Amino acid sequence: MPALKVLSALDVARIQWYHFKAIIVAGMGLFTDAYDLFCIAPIMKMIGHIYYHKDSIGTAVLSTSYAIALLGTALGQLIFGYLGDRVGRRRVYGLCLMIMVLSSFGCGFSICTTRRSCVIASLGFFRFVLGLGIGGDYPLSATIMSEFANKRTRGAFIAAVFSMQGLGILMSSAVTMAVCEAFKNAGEGGSEKTRAAGMETLAPPESDIAWRLILMIGALPAALTFYWRMLMPETARYTALVENNAIQAAKDMQRVMSESILSQIAEDSSSESSPQQPPSSSSYKLFSRRFLSLHGRDLFAASANWFLVDVVFYTSNLLLSQIFTFSNKPHNSTNVYDSAFEVAKVAAIVAACSTIPGYWFTVYFIDRVGRVKIQIMGFFFMAVVYLAAGIPYIWYWSKHEKTNKGFMVLYGLIFFFSNFGPNTTTFIIPAELFPTRFRSTCHGISGAAGKLGAIVGTIGFLWATKHDEEDKEDVFPDVKRVRIAFLILGGVCIAGVLVTYFFTSETMGRSLEENEEDEIGTTSGPGSSSANELLPPRQ
């Protein structure tokens, strides 16, 4: 069967230049995603100085500013994940990138400059639209890379795409520090007084340009890869299995891969007298009884694990900007640039020392150790670190974390084992478990569950750890409540261990089609003869 030959050729294809090109082109989307999602913490510090100098940003405004892009991301994952299965990965991929580029510029061109309510509303609108584009990029990047890769190194390739997030976080911090330092030096330390939103503020007029510039720079990496993204062909699996066109699938792969077997596939396909059905039995509908019996457990596990890890990951990033500072200056003496610079510097240190190494440990070990073992290990060690931080937090760590490098190392381990663990594997597993007709949709559903977890974590943390006195000027969260937050996050990680152990399937070393065939075979009844008997078992 021609389609089988195309898929077999993809599964055994040697590593070649096109695989690395696909990693870069797809990874730039994740790079931009991370830049845009994680630059908001220093940006809000700057907006607080410019527009809220005497009042400080309220918890409601701050939590909304964090959550609005995450909400857009969740909706984008659902909408564009579904469209990726209906109209094709390639078409939707370009649309998502265009939305990301235009909305990034829109964030910088937020229409107001004098009224803070108008600034926040305008920024929130463009951040929501940005989230839609970011959300679409998640399932499409993972699905495209999984469908191009061979089964031996598929996990490493998808992890390499996702690892671009670490570089995006580092770049957002570097750009923030560079812009702040440049504007600070140009404005002689930002001591000039001006009036913004009818209030006296120490923020100089040009600082309102600085945060906008930081947001707009995030559009450049995605814009630079738009041309190459549009040149990518549709994946052979989608063309062969969903569009039922094995001939075109072979031609597309021949165009980008130097595998002589693909020429033979095209010739064999041309000689077929009648169209062949693809090697897939997924004629059932999404969320039908048959779908739920075959893939319901996998969808639950992927969604639950992503929800749990994003509660931890995004809350940890928010904690990072709230409880750490390397500045010896009191908060009320720092200017608009210093406050944002300090937040970005801490994020850059953590990204360089723990986040990025964690991603690349996963790239190296994912096809050697397996997805499930890495995910369990990551959740487990994150739980250990959170408990080690939370149990003695009141009487020890809270008195030392701002000067004690040991606490910084301990906190860095959370990000290392998050990325050498569930933050990466939850991105990989949904791209491998589901049939081609539902792969992008199910990845989008899993990712949307994760972003709901991120919203729960960020909003829950901000409200649960705020001081009771609304006018209290202490910028650090309540110590007792931070301790409780650490302990809760440790419990969330333990829940992740249990869900992974009991519900998550191993996909290492198996083709994408073998996962579906194995499920079909297991439901055939006692004594049935199935090709899956010859396949390696799923764990």
Side-chain angles (χ1 to χ4, degrees):
M1 187 179 293
L4 275 175
K5 293 182 179 180
V6 173
L7 305 184
S8 298
L10 286 171
D11 284 335
V12 300
R14 62 184 175 84
I15 300 174
Q16 50 197 283
W17 165 243
Y18 184 76
H19 287 120
F20 294 103
K21 181 180 178 181
I23 289 173
I24 295 172
V25 174
M28 276 298 103
L30 275 298
F31 179 98
T32 305
D33 298 346
Y35 183 103
D36 291 325
L37 286 177
F38 291 99
C39 71
I40 191 63
I43 292 296
M44 293 309 296
K45 290 285 186 181
M46 298 182 74
I47 290 176
H49 271 270
I50 298 169
Y51 294 100
Y52 293 84
H53 174 61
K54 290 185 177 179
D55 294 342
S56 75
I57 301 180
T59 303
V61 174
L62 192 61
S63 59
T64 301
S65 67
Y66 282 120
I68 192 70
L70 295 173
L71 179 60
T73 302
L75 291 177
Q77 287 172 317
L78 295 174
I79 294 170
F80 293 111
Y82 174 76
L83 291 177
D85 285 331
R86 291 299 301 269
V87 302
R89 286 76 159 111
R90 177 180 174 273
R91 295 176 183 175
V92 182
Y93 210 29
L95 176 61
C96 291
L97 194 68
M98 187 177 299
I99 292 174
M100 289 164 59
V101 171
L102 295 178
S103 56
S104 292
F105 281 114
C107 289
F109 285 114
S110 296
I111 57 178
C112 307
T113 57
T114 57
R115 294 177 55 197
R116 67 188 185 192
S117 59
C118 185
V119 170
I120 294 298
S122 176
L123 179 61
F125 170 78
F126 286 111
R127 292 278 297 174
F128 177 80
V129 177
L130 175 65
L132 292 175
I134 290 174
D137 202 66
Y138 271 77
L140 292 169
S141 293
T143 299
I144 287 172
M145 197 67 247
S146 71
E147 293 180 350
F148 272 126
N150 63 56
K151 65 181 180 181
R152 183 174 60 86
T153 58
R154 184 180 61 236
F157 284 163
I158 303 174
V161 170
F162 195 64
S163 71
M164 297 295 284
Q165 274 203 338
L167 298 178
I169 295 172
L170 183 62
M171 181 58 69
S172 71
S173 300
V175 168
T176 299
M177 289 189 291
V179 170
C180 287
E181 193 66 18
F183 273 74
K184 178 181 176 180
N185 292 335
E188 296 179 350
S191 59
E192 180 183 351
K193 289 187 177 183
T194 188
R195 183 170 295 273
M199 298 177 298
E200 282 288 317
T201 175
L202 294 176
E206 63 270 15
S207 63
D208 195 52
I209 300 175
W211 67 267
R212 299 170 188 271
L213 179 62
I214 294 169
L215 290 172
M216 288 191 289
I217 289 175
L220 298 180
L224 292 174
T225 60
F226 183 80
Y227 173 76
W228 288 276
R229 186 173 284 201
M230 290 297 92
L231 290 180
M232 295 178 70
E234 184 57 82
T235 68
R237 283 186 163 88
Y238 185 86
T239 304
L241 300 180
V242 179
E243 296 182 340
N244 297 338
N245 192 342
I247 298 175
Q248 186 60 46
K251 290 180 179 179
D252 288 341
M253 290 301 96
Q254 181 70 63
R255 183 158 57 92
V256 298
M257 291 186 175
S258 56
E259 295 290 330
S260 59
I261 189 175
L262 294 175
S263 298
Q264 184 62 41
I265 293 169
E267 294 175 6
D268 294 343
S269 301
S270 301
S271 65
E272 294 287 336
S273 58
S274 60
Q276 300 287 335
Q277 291 300 316
S280 173
S281 66
S282 54
S283 58
Y284 47 86
K285 295 182 179 180
L286 184 68
F287 296 132
S288 65
R289 181 175 300 178
R290 182 163 177 77
F291 172 86
L292 293 176
S293 67
L294 297 178
H295 306 290
R297 169 179 155 172
D298 291 332
L299 186 58
F300 164 76
S303 301
N305 283 320
W306 208 330
F307 177 91
L308 294 172
V309 73
D310 272 9
V311 168
V312 176
F313 187 74
Y314 282 85
T315 305
S316 298
N317 274 283
L318 189 58
L319 273 164
L320 188 68
S321 65
Q322 294 279 14
I323 67 177
F324 281 107
T325 179
F326 292 144
S327 175
N328 294 322
K329 299 178 182 179
H331 173 71
N332 56 12
S333 69
T334 59
N335 60 38
V336 60
Y337 303 120
D338 288 338
S339 59
F341 187 95
E342 291 302 321
V343 172
K345 183 169 71 173
V346 174
I349 293 171
V350 172
C353 297
S354 61
T355 300
I356 294 175
Y359 282 122
W360 285 99
F361 266 69
T362 303
V363 171
Y364 182 80
F365 286 106
I366 190 71
D367 289 312
R368 293 171 170 82
V369 177
R371 288 76 164 137
V372 171
K373 290 180 181 178
I374 288 178
Q375 187 161 297
I376 290 175
M377 177 204 65
F379 269 130
F380 174 77
F381 282 109
M382 289 167 66
V384 170
V385 174
Y386 271 121
L387 295 177
I391 292 173
Y393 186 79
I394 293 179
W395 54 267
Y396 184 75
W397 291 121
S398 65
K399 304 180 187 306
H400 298 87
E401 87 272 10
K402 301 173 186 64
T403 57
N404 192 334
K405 295 180 180 179
F407 188 79
M408 188 70 180
V409 172
L410 191 68
Y411 205 77
L413 289 174
I414 294 173
F415 290 93
F416 176 80
F417 284 110
S418 175
N419 295 300
F420 182 33
N423 191 46
T424 304
T425 54
T426 52
F427 181 80
I428 296 172
I429 292 174
E432 300 179 312
L433 276 177
F434 302 101
T436 305
R437 290 201 306 119
F438 307 130
R439 184 167 295 128
S440 179
T441 301
C442 291
H443 195 286
I445 293 171
S446 304
K451 290 303 167 281
L452 291 179
I455 293 172
V456 169
T458 53
I459 294 180
F461 169 78
L462 284 172
W463 284 94
T465 60
K466 72 168 188 172
H467 289 280
D468 293 328
E469 301 86 351
E470 290 292 336
D471 59 346
K472 191 165 184 176
E473 295 184 358
D474 189 358
V475 295
F476 299 106
D478 184 87
V479 171
K480 293 182 180 179
R481 295 178 180 181
V482 169
R483 177 178 183 266
I484 295 174
F486 276 130
L487 297 178
I488 291 175
L489 293 176
V492 171
C493 293
I494 293 173
V497 171
L498 297 176
V499 172
T500 303
Y501 182 80
F502 288 107
F503 297 101
T504 303
S505 302
E506 182 57 75
T507 57
M508 180 178 65
R510 299 169 58 88
S511 73
L512 298 178
E513 289 67 44
E514 285 172 351
N515 291 310
E516 182 185 0
E517 290 171 3
D518 189 37
E519 292 282 13
I520 294 168
T522 57
T523 59
S524 300
S528 63
S529 176
S530 172
N532 83 290
E533 294 175 2
L534 302 177
L535 300 175
R538 289 176 64 185
Q539 300 175 2

